Amino acid sequence: METQIRKLDYAAIDMDIIEKAGRILKEGGLVAFPTETVYGLGGNALNPASSEKIYAAKGRPSDNPLIVHISEKDDVYQIAEQVSERAKQLMEAFWPGPLTLIFSKKALVPDKTTGGLSTVAVRMPSDKIARALIRASGGFVAAPSANASGRPSTTTAAHVAEDLSGRIEMILDGGQAVIGLESTIVDVSEEQPVILRPGVITRAMMESVIGPVEIDRAVIAPDSHVKPKAPGMKYRHYAPKASLTIVEGETKDVIEAVNRLSAEAAAEGKRVGIMATDETAGCYGMGLVRSLGARSREEEISMHLFEVLRSFDETDVDCIYSESFGDAAIGQAIMNRLLKAAGHRVIEV
Ligand code: AMP
Ligand code: MG
């Protein structure tokens, strides 16, 4: 199949293109679209055949449930069995936006969409193109990140085309996703809200609205052996082709260690990539150095993380060393993705 790519301008969204994309979804086809977090690979969430197509296009294991995207808050009541008071408070505070909530599901949602689970993940994005598309498609769009399974999520239409061209009907191009990391996922299907995946909506932000929120142990576990409650979090993910190692410690020690490790790798004939920050990029004596942005502005790091991971795949580096980030605010979400990309390979210095 030939994948059509259509560029859209946020200042004047071409509704003819949106209508066309909406029709593709209604008819059971797939459309990738921008959101404020990362690009999504959309299909009709209420059509099991569409969900099957999503799994096939991504090469995603079918026990890994999809997030259902809605364009109006009240639509949640059509697919969620019980919406607790705390869930409502979170929806009021953070929807539309990068927060996914897990509810027990109504029968309307096919098992194929939820990977056989009795719960459903729901998000209302703030992105205007995403919301217009959801509306045009009938209101319920299942959309995992628009990348081939295992590869870093996509933050531009070009990245989507790289992974999914020829496998889906259309890609809507809305430029670069501004957040760059997937949504925070919180399970509100039981009494105690639990974070299953960290994102830019942080624990502290939610606790200021609803009181104590727990974090699934797998999110902060130092190794990959604790079984996560979000099925997708158990898979190796975001991985670049070269082996990635995170070097953790005081900045000056990290620079020294990365320079030493790079020299050792080069002596073995390996080509080295380095994931640095604007503040440190000039401190590395060798290797292909890419900056994630200013360390002092975490939102720059999150915006560029997947793009930089992907960019190394276009080069012939054999191994990559990355600086690490603190776990305050968005740092926890950044480290969660980076640790997965590195298969939890960390060197402490
Ligand atoms: P992605 O769409 O690529 O951002 O991945 C969606 C993430 O949401 C995966 O990690 C899923 O395992 C998780 N997820 C979706 N639905 C549920 C659910 N009902 N319960 C727990 N986790 C879910
Ligand atoms: Mg994903």
Side-chain angles (χ1 to χ4, degrees):
M1 121 181 23
E2 197 191 329
T3 302
Q4 306 173 50
I5 303 183
R6 294 283 177 273
K7 205 164 169 44
L8 288 169
D9 177 0
Y10 282 93
I13 298 174
D14 184 335
M15 289 310 287
D16 287 343
I17 295 176
I18 294 287
E19 286 307 324
K20 194 161 174 225
R23 214 171 315 125
I24 292 172
L25 292 177
K26 278 184 179 159
E27 288 166 3
L30 304 184
V31 177
F33 60 97
T35 82
E36 67 277 22
T37 57
V38 297
Y39 272 70
L41 171 55
N44 179 350
L46 306 184
N47 178 352
S50 296
S51 296
E52 272 177 357
K53 279 190 198 167
I54 292 176
Y55 290 116
K58 281 185 62 117
R60 177 174 176 126
S62 59
D63 68 342
N64 187 357
L66 309 174
I67 295 174
V68 180
H69 291 67
I70 56 177
S71 63
E72 320 296 329
K73 270 184 209 164
D74 284 349
D75 286 348
V76 74
Y77 299 102
Q78 295 192 50
I79 52 176
E81 192 60 69
Q82 257 168 21
V83 181
S84 67
E85 269 320 301
R86 275 184 283 195
K88 284 181 192 161
Q89 288 169 325
L90 289 176
M91 284 156 49
E92 271 318 304
F94 303 111
W95 278 9
L99 176 67
T100 295
L101 298 174
I102 310 272
F103 302 96
S104 50
K105 82 172 184 74
K106 283 196 169 156
L108 182 65
V109 185
D111 287 340
K112 288 268 187 249
T113 300
T114 63
L117 295 180
S118 59
T119 50
V120 60
V122 188
R123 177 163 107 83
M124 177 182 180
S126 61
D127 186 282
K128 289 202 169 67
I129 293 174
R131 292 245 297 285
L133 174 67
I134 296 164
R135 234 172 264 132
S137 75
F140 300 94
V141 176
S145 51
N147 52 282
S149 191
R151 291 207 75 200
S153 301
T154 50
T155 51
T156 66
H159 294 164
V160 179
E162 220 171 82
D163 282 17
L164 298 172
S165 239
R167 296 167 168 256
I168 63 178
E169 277 80 0
M170 187 181 273
I171 299 172
L172 298 180
D173 180 354
Q176 173 146 26
V178 291
I179 294 176
L181 294 182
E182 307 86 342
S183 57
T184 305
I185 302 180
V186 180
D187 187 345
V188 288
S189 67
E190 289 177 32
E191 192 54 29
Q192 172 63 57
V194 183
I195 297 174
L196 306 188
R197 177 171 76 184
V200 301
I201 306 286
T202 62
R203 180 186 198 171
M205 287 161 75
M206 292 186 283
E207 288 191 330
S208 73
V209 178
I210 58 165
V213 175
E214 281 180 9
I215 299 196
D216 184 21
R217 245 174 58 69
V219 168
I220 38 179
D223 57 44
S224 53
H225 300 300
V226 184
K227 190 169 175 279
K229 289 209 182 94
M233 300 294 280
K234 72 175 180 269
Y235 295 108
R236 183 160 156 75
H237 225 138
Y238 316 124
K241 290 172 188 151
S243 78
L244 170 65
T245 305
I246 302 169
V247 184
E248 201 163 67
E250 294 288 328
T251 305
K252 74 170 192 353
D253 299 334
V254 168
I255 294 168
E256 203 181 294
V258 169
N259 275 326
R260 181 172 38 77
L261 290 161
S262 303
E264 285 167 12
E268 290 172 17
K270 290 185 185 151
R271 279 166 297 249
V272 177
I274 297 172
M275 283 176 38
T277 49
D278 288 356
E279 292 89 338
T280 59
C283 304
Y284 296 103
M286 62 191 320
L288 181 60
V289 181
R290 298 259 156 98
S291 176
L292 292 163
R295 181 172 280 279
S296 57
R297 286 195 296 275
E298 274 185 328
E299 64 280 9
E300 277 191 16
I301 309 286
S302 68
M303 185 170 174
H304 296 126
L305 178 64
F306 290 137
E307 179 187 324
V308 170
L309 279 171
R310 267 180 185 266
S311 77
F312 280 113
D313 287 349
E314 321 265 276
T315 71
D316 56 3
V317 303
D318 303 297
C319 55
I320 306 168
Y321 295 104
S322 176
E323 296 178 7
S324 71
F325 299 89
D327 62 4
I330 325 177
Q332 185 172 55
I334 295 170
M335 283 309 290
N336 170 266
R337 308 311 193 274
L338 202 51
L339 280 163
K340 275 190 197 308
H344 289 261
R345 240 186 328 267
V346 182
I347 296 176
E348 310 260 356
V349 295

